[in-house]
């Protein structure tokens, strides 16, 4: 199973269309949790980030091939670290990345706990339930 094996065909279609239209697009959902930032390795809270401005990036991410090549060439020359495909575009190439609304059921599966959650989503979908939706409140 890939890291995001719960992505739907509709999500893929939306992000590919947006990638073609804007040059770079990422599936993402609004963050639900309150996010705390720590500057001392997790000992104390430095600040609480504004939830209304935060989005959880998902996969797939779509990027123009020439921007991708340009980004990796610059990264190779300049050094640095990127955490995903679109961070290369936004931080190294300097191009805005379009956010395509994803679904909360498109979870990243990397831990045993994620596997349990993924099984729940798959079981719900198999039984005809909703796929998690992308509603926000």
């Amino acid at each position: 199973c890939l890291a995001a094996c719960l992505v739907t065909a509709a999500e893929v279609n939306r992000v590919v269309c947006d990638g073609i239209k804007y040059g770079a697009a990422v599936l993402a959902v609004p963050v639900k949790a309150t996010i705390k930032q720590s500057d001392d390795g997790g000992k104390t809270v430095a600040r609480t980030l504004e939830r209304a401005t935060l989005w959880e990036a998902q996969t797939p991410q779509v990027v123009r091939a020439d921007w991708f090549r340009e980004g990796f060439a610059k990264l190779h020359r300049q050094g640095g670290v990127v955490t995903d495909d679109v961070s290369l575009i936004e931080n190294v190439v300097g191009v805005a990345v379009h956010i395509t609304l994803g679904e909360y059921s498109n979870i990243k599966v990397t831990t045993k706990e994620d596997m349990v959650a993924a099984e729940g989503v798959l079981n719900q979908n198999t039984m005809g339930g909703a796929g998690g939706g992308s509603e926000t409140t």
Side-chain angles (χ1 to χ4, degrees), residues 22 24 63 67-68 70-72 74-75 78 82 85-98:
Y22 299 103
V63 176
W67 290 354
F68 206 59
E70 174 188 347
F72 274 112
K74 282 184 178 180
L75 189 65
Q78 300 169 357
V82 294
D85 295 343
V86 296
S87 69
L88 177 73
I89 303 309
E90 65 194 69
N91 296 320
V92 178
V93 178
V95 175
V97 175
H98 181 79

Side-chain angles (χ1 to χ4, degrees), residues 89-129:
I89 303 309
E90 65 194 69
N91 296 320
V92 178
V93 178
V95 175
V97 175
H98 181 79
I99 295 173
T100 302
L101 184 61
E103 297 182 23
Y104 287 106
S105 59
N106 181 14
I107 62 173
K108 185 175 182 178
V109 181
T110 55
T111 66
K112 290 179 183 178
E113 294 83 8
D114 296 339
M115 286 298 295
V116 172
E119 287 174 356
V121 171
L122 291 171
N123 287 337
Q124 183 179 14
N125 289 346
T126 301
M127 294 179 183

